[in-house]
Amino acid sequence: MICKITLLNILGLVAALLLPSPALADPAGSTSPTLQEIRKKGVLRVGVKTDASPYNSLNAKGEVVGFESDLAELVAKRLGVSLKKVSITTENRFQKLLLGDVDILLATVGDTAERRRMATAIEPGYNETGVNVLFKPGYAVDQWEKIRQTTLCAVQGSYFNKPMIERYLLNLQTYKTVRDAQLALRDRQCTGFLYTNGALHNTRLLPDWAGYTMPLPNALITSMAIFVRSEEKGSELDLMLGNLMAELHRSGWMLETGRKWQLPSTTWLTAQKVMWSATSPDGKLDCTRNKNGMWIAACRTTEYVSSEEVSGLQALGLRLKEQFGIDLNFVYDPYDRTQFLRGLMYSMLLIASGIAISLSLGMLVATTVDERDGWRHRALRVLMAYGRMTPPLIMMYLIFFGIGGWTTREFGISLSAFAVATFCSGFYTAGLVMRALLEAAAHIRKSEPGFVLRFATLRRTEQFAASPIKQSLINLSKQTMMASAIAIPELLSASSLLIAEKGNIFLTMTALVLTFYLTTTLWAKIINRLEAAVLRRAVHP
């Protein structure tokens, strides 16, 4: 009975994952209450911020101008109505939208899952945004991990405050406006100002902020989108705005307007222009809407694609997320999956290279120094003993950051992280291989006093040295994870990147542990097979 229930449960789980789910999207082009009201009054009320140059700010005449203002004016023109810009703040912008004080939000709003639960995001977005820190003069750091427990100024209501606190253990002092946070930084009430990278970039260019720096890489990169009320999802307004955004990317209007207002970067806008302009051989646009009124999955942010819109491994990963809350982003997200698999490939290559170095170097030195006592041979023994007794991670840091830093500074020559990691792990294990072979030779000399270890006699030691060598090689495969400290493409680093961008710490680390276990098990089986083959050859030459 227990087996029967278990089997039924498994079949039910498989069916839940593989059978199609009901359509989630509302009928495309349904009636839009907001659009009806806009047309009735002849006015489009757009919620805008005035403290986020170059997106929006006040000019000398007190007018709201910027990238988003140009976009708002174009939307109103397409609707055939006048435009009213309603000043809002980061803190109250969604409240204004939900209460009906504005018709749409066009106010540097990052498109996040949490915000999509409050309102409807228009796809595609109109630019991307990330998070950075503007530091006071004299404070130079290059990694987020180095500012843990640091007190930073921030703006109330910013979507990134909570995840940045959780991921980087920051202490935030929040203020109602950007101006208040800036003044607090100037008054040295905090070490830096945590805010969107675009706004910080433009602040840093002002004469009053000379000397302030942004040395950190951008974090929490996401697109910025127009938001409308939740009930507008799939409505005429939703589709009209989405089609307009796609058209503006396709025509290059977004890109040119971004350049006009000197956005910090137009790389994302350039990529969007290429994607939305792409056509098939028959001349039809690649990015089109499906029967539910949604853009096809290839043209949407992967995070918001449902399992019914895709197939294969991506559909499986999304169904796990939707039905069981198991968010394996490196399964359903093609980019993250590529990063993870690339990291796995580097791990396997690193292990294979380390094993090759260990065996070849260990055998070469063992056959060179056995039964020889010259000063060169003694020095070689000491060198290998140093390698055997020095942890690989310390050796990597010494060579890569010590010697590598010197060669870069003096000669402009940078050491390969992968090569250094391979050599250090191989050199460490080569010392163990050498010792195992020398001990095996010493054991043979107990019964054959004239035995000397050379390449011609190496096979005689196999049955005595195979077991310790095998264990050393298995340990090498386990220690490979430490190489991620410098070999950036390695698996652990790829996983760390996914954690930093997605915040999926528990599941990503669990998957990493399982991958580590499976990788180590695979190499253990390979090494066991090799050991068995070597021993058979030793016994039956």
Side-chain angles (χ1 to χ4, degrees), residues 4 94 116 177 184 231 280 325 348 442:
K4 182 177 180 180
F94 276 94
R116 287 193 175 214
T177 67
E231 58 268 23
S280 57
M348 299 298 283

Side-chain angles (χ1 to χ4, degrees), residues 340 481 507-520:
F340 196 84
M481 292 300 179
L507 287 174
T508 302
M509 290 307 297
T510 299
L512 178 63
V513 170
L514 290 175
T515 304
F516 173 68
Y517 171 76
L518 293 174
T519 301
T520 304

Side-chain angles (χ1 to χ4, degrees), residues 218-484:
N218 292 333
L220 294 183
I221 297 174
T222 186
S223 63
M224 290 191 290
I226 295 174
F227 274 80
V228 295
R229 285 185 281 279
S230 297
E231 58 268 23
E232 294 292 339
K233 183 175 178 59
S235 71
E236 183 184 357
L237 178 62
D238 182 7
L239 269 62
M240 186 278 295
L241 290 174
N243 291 339
L244 177 58
M245 295 302 104
E247 176 191 330
L248 296 180
H249 281 301
R250 193 179 300 122
S251 66
W253 185 93
M254 289 285 194
L255 181 58
E256 292 306 316
T257 305
R259 288 170 177 164
K260 167 190 171 184
W261 288 101
Q262 299 180 341
L263 297 185
S265 172
T266 55
T267 302
W268 185 85
L269 291 174
T270 301
Q272 291 293 303
K273 182 180 185 300
V274 172
M275 183 179 75
W276 290 97
S277 302
T279 57
S280 57
D282 60 2
K284 295 181 179 179
L285 290 170
D286 289 344
C287 292
T288 57
R289 292 188 182 274
N290 59 26
K291 62 181 180 180
N292 293 323
M294 305 292 290
W295 296 111
I296 62 171
C299 301
R300 301 180 62 207
T301 303
T302 307
E303 186 177 358
Y304 305 120
V305 173
S306 65
S307 59
E308 64 189 26
E309 299 176 64
V310 293
S311 58
L313 190 61
Q314 187 177 4
L316 176 62
L318 286 170
R319 197 145 297 161
L320 284 169
K321 177 184 177 182
E322 293 163 357
Q323 299 192 17
F324 303 101
I326 303 175
D327 189 1
L328 298 175
N329 49 282
F330 48 87
V331 173
Y332 65 77
D333 188 310
Y335 174 79
D336 289 342
R337 183 167 63 246
T338 300
Q339 291 293 96
F340 196 84
L341 291 177
R342 182 181 289 115
L344 180 58
M345 179 193 71
Y346 271 91
S347 290
M348 299 298 283
L349 183 59
L350 191 61
I351 294 172
S353 302
I355 288 176
I357 292 176
S358 300
L359 292 176
S360 57
L361 183 60
M363 289 188 294
L364 176 63
V365 176
T367 55
T368 300
V369 303
D370 187 47
E371 291 294 280
R372 287 173 176 165
D373 199 34
W375 70 267
R376 293 185 181 87
H377 304 101
R378 289 198 299 271
L380 195 54
R381 284 176 179 268
V382 170
L383 180 64
M384 295 301 289
Y386 165 80
R388 185 178 71 248
M389 301 181 68
T390 304
L393 187 58
I394 294 178
M395 202 183 310
M396 291 175 199
Y397 270 80
L398 175 63
I399 296 176
F400 189 76
F401 295 109
I403 298 175
W406 175 74
T407 59
T408 301
R409 183 175 60 256
E410 297 295 329
F411 308 105
I413 300 174
S414 299
L415 300 182
S416 165
F418 185 86
V420 171
T422 302
F423 171 77
C424 291
S425 59
F427 183 38
Y428 172 79
T429 309
L432 300 175
V433 171
M434 180 200 72
R435 185 174 67 175
L437 291 172
L438 293 179
E439 289 178 351
H443 178 76
I444 294 174
R445 277 193 288 272
K446 292 180 180 179
S447 56
E448 300 179 34
F451 177 81
V452 178
L453 181 62
R454 298 291 181 264
F455 273 106
T457 59
L458 192 60
R459 181 178 296 184
R460 296 281 306 280
T461 65
E462 289 173 348
Q463 57 183 317
F464 304 110
S467 181
I469 289 177
K470 179 189 75 171
Q471 190 57 51
S472 298
L473 297 181
I474 291 175
N475 287 337
L476 181 148
S477 69
K478 296 177 180 178
Q479 294 163 356
T480 297
M481 292 300 179
M482 295 189 297
S484 64

Side-chain angles (χ1 to χ4, degrees), residues 52-117:
S53 175
Y55 294 101
N56 268 330
S57 61
L58 296 175
N59 64 12
K61 298 179 181 179
E63 301 167 330
V64 180
V65 295
F67 178 88
E68 291 176 337
S69 283
D70 285 2
L71 182 55
E73 290 169 4
L74 183 55
V75 172
K77 183 178 179 180
R78 286 296 182 92
L79 290 174
V81 297
S82 61
L83 173 65
K84 180 181 179 181
K85 300 174 186 177
V86 180
S87 180
I88 59 175
T89 65
T90 300
E91 186 180 25
N92 69 11
R93 54 191 171 184
F94 276 94
Q95 181 184 16
K96 293 284 188 181
L97 177 66
L98 298 178
L99 291 176
D101 294 336
V102 298
D103 300 313
I104 68 173
L105 281 184
L106 189 45
T108 64
V109 185
D111 185 3
T112 67
E114 182 179 359
R115 285 171 173 172
R116 287 193 175 214
R117 287 190 284 270

Side-chain angles (χ1 to χ4, degrees), residues 138-160:
Y139 196 90
V141 293
D142 56 1
Q143 296 178 15
W144 285 95
E145 290 74 13
K146 293 181 179 179
I147 61 170
R148 289 179 177 175
Q149 306 301 333
T150 299
T151 299
L152 302 178
C153 294
V155 178
Q156 294 177 8
S158 297
Y159 74 92
F160 45 79

